[in-house]
Amino acid sequence: MIPAIFGLSGLTLTDNERAFFRDSDPAGYILFGRNIENREQLRRLTDDLRSLDGRSNLPILIDQEGGRVARMKSPEWPDFPSGAAFDALYERAPASAIEAARLNAMALAVMLAEVGITVDCLPLLDVRQPGASDVIGDRALGSEPMRVAALGRAILSGLQAGGVVGIVKHIPGHGRAMADSHEALPVVSALDRDLQTDLAPFAALRDAAMAMTCHVVFEAWDPDRPATLSPTVIDSVIRQRIGFHGLLMTDDLDMKALSGDVPSRAADAIAAGCDIALNCWGKMDDMIGIAKALDPISMISLARLEGAMDRIAGAHDPRQFATLVDQRDALLAVA
């Protein structure tokens, strides 16, 4: 197995993809809108991915946050609220907001598990900061660290109860970035003492199964490299100061924040201390290059991966979905 998660080009596996994935044995896969048409097609695709190596607990990821980040879309699937909805409810009724976030995540998980998806790239623990890039914006759970942590923990709990593993992101924090890392490299000049605000939610949820890095330079820690590629940030900040010892994956390596070719980015991220390189776009040349650039997954990274996937609870009856959504909406109506 190689320490990489790959994307796919379309609604079904091509012959080239099928042969390459069987030969390279990636740790998992990630799905986007281009891979999704309806329930039946999506379930066939995830079953097909599982058949490649027979892993029943294969990590099949998706970014299904709600709001503007949703790969499974209406009318086939319902819309979900963004993180800001739970932040707003927290202002009036904290306990209700926490329960609404849990119910919402459980409904998401039931929806994902029905079509064979096992990992959701949620929750965001980025603490929203005034004047920062809107790439986080209303996706955030708030601007107060412990509120973000409380809602984030509820989301992780709901996802797990619904049969899906969550990923906390974007560690050690994207909330101060003045640029969108999809388009440019953000540089954060805040002092170490001020960055404690950004670290606090991740420290509170250090026991999460999975985390995703950010492509952001923090001058206080490593002025030369973004967090994804920085041994200093990964070891000293993420592993030691935050205390996160679960599976650490990169954000998408194809983003414009990073320089150099994609296979070199993957190798540098693994060398820096990431467990998994994430490459989303299904570009065969890049995936082949990554497979050649990476050694087999380390024993410690494999143990982290297996430990994360072992947290999945049993599948829930999809008929629960409507009840979960109704209960969530009744709570959100308070705001």
Side-chain angles (χ1 to χ4, degrees):
M1 182 188 298
I2 59 168
I5 289 172
F6 289 141
L8 323 173
S9 62
L11 299 174
T12 60
L13 289 175
T14 67
D15 290 342
N16 285 342
E17 285 173 335
R18 190 183 305 278
F20 169 69
F21 292 148
R22 278 186 173 144
D23 182 57
S24 62
D25 190 20
Y29 304 91
I30 187 165
L31 303 179
F32 283 81
R34 66 181 180 272
N35 310 123
I36 297 168
E37 184 176 53
N38 55 48
R39 285 172 171 79
E40 293 75 19
Q41 169 270 328
L42 186 50
R43 184 73 213 203
R44 284 196 301 271
L45 178 59
T46 58
D47 286 346
D48 203 7
L49 290 171
R50 260 181 287 276
S51 73
L52 292 175
D53 71 356
R55 278 185 282 162
S56 61
N57 64 346
L58 177 71
I60 301 178
L61 285 63
I62 197 167
D63 282 298
Q64 195 73 17
E65 296 177 8
R68 55 194 162 104
V69 178
R71 314 307 183 194
M72 296 160 62
K73 297 182 181 293
S74 62
E76 184 72 11
W77 293 279
D79 296 326
F80 279 73
S82 67
F86 305 100
D87 181 30
L89 178 56
Y90 199 102
E91 282 292 319
R92 300 192 61 179
S96 294
I98 290 169
E99 178 63 4
R102 188 189 70 82
L103 291 166
N104 182 70
M106 190 171 177
L108 271 172
V110 169
M111 184 179 84
L112 299 180
E114 180 187 16
V115 292
I117 293 169
T118 53
V119 181
D120 195 6
C121 302
L122 192 70
L124 278 75
L125 300 186
D126 305 303
V127 179
R128 191 172 185 177
Q129 300 286 348
S133 167
D134 196 46
V135 67
I136 299 299
D138 65 355
R139 298 164 64 194
L141 294 167
S143 56
E144 197 287 309
M146 290 304 98
R147 177 183 303 191
V148 172
L151 292 171
R153 187 172 293 282
I155 291 169
L156 286 177
S157 174
L159 289 173
Q160 184 173 344
V164 167
V165 176
I167 304 175
V168 297
K169 61 185 189 183
H170 304 83
I171 198 169
H174 206 300
R176 292 181 190 270
M178 303 300 290
D180 179 352
S181 53
H182 294 87
E183 302 298 332
L185 176 61
V187 177
V188 170
S189 57
L191 299 175
D192 179 88
R193 65 172 180 266
D194 297 324
L195 290 169
Q196 301 316 301
T197 298
D198 305 65
L199 300 185
F202 294 102
L205 273 64
R206 64 172 63 91
D207 58 344
M210 297 184 178
M212 179 183 290
T213 65
C214 60
H215 304 328
V216 176
V217 169
F218 296 92
E219 290 186 329
W221 300 326
D222 187 340
D224 300 318
R225 291 168 292 196
T228 300
L229 305 179
S230 171
T232 301
V233 174
I234 291 173
D235 182 52
S236 298
V237 179
I238 295 175
R239 295 301 191 191
Q240 294 187 38
R241 189 182 301 189
I242 291 174
F244 175 75
H245 295 292
L247 185 84
L248 183 65
M249 70 180 68
T250 72
D251 203 345
D252 180 22
L253 292 171
D254 208 40
M255 291 161 66
K256 295 178 183 177
L258 303 181
S259 59
D261 62 83
V262 172
S264 295
R265 298 175 189 183
D268 289 346
I270 299 298
C274 291
D275 294 301
I276 298 287
L278 176 64
N279 179 235
C280 294
W281 292 102
K283 299 174 183 176
M284 186 57 71
D285 287 348
D286 284 343
M287 294 191 294
I288 290 172
I290 289 170
K292 290 178 178 177
L294 298 183
D295 292 326
I297 192 168
S298 70
M299 294 303 294
I300 190 169
S301 294
L302 181 59
R304 288 170 176 158
L305 177 65
E306 292 175 344
M309 299 310 296
D310 284 346
R311 296 195 191 190
I312 292 180
H316 285 257
D317 188 336
R319 289 174 295 183
Q320 288 184 304
F321 180 83
T323 300
L324 293 167
V325 168
D326 287 346
Q327 291 172 342
R328 175 204 67 193
D329 289 347
L331 291 168
L332 287 175
V334 173

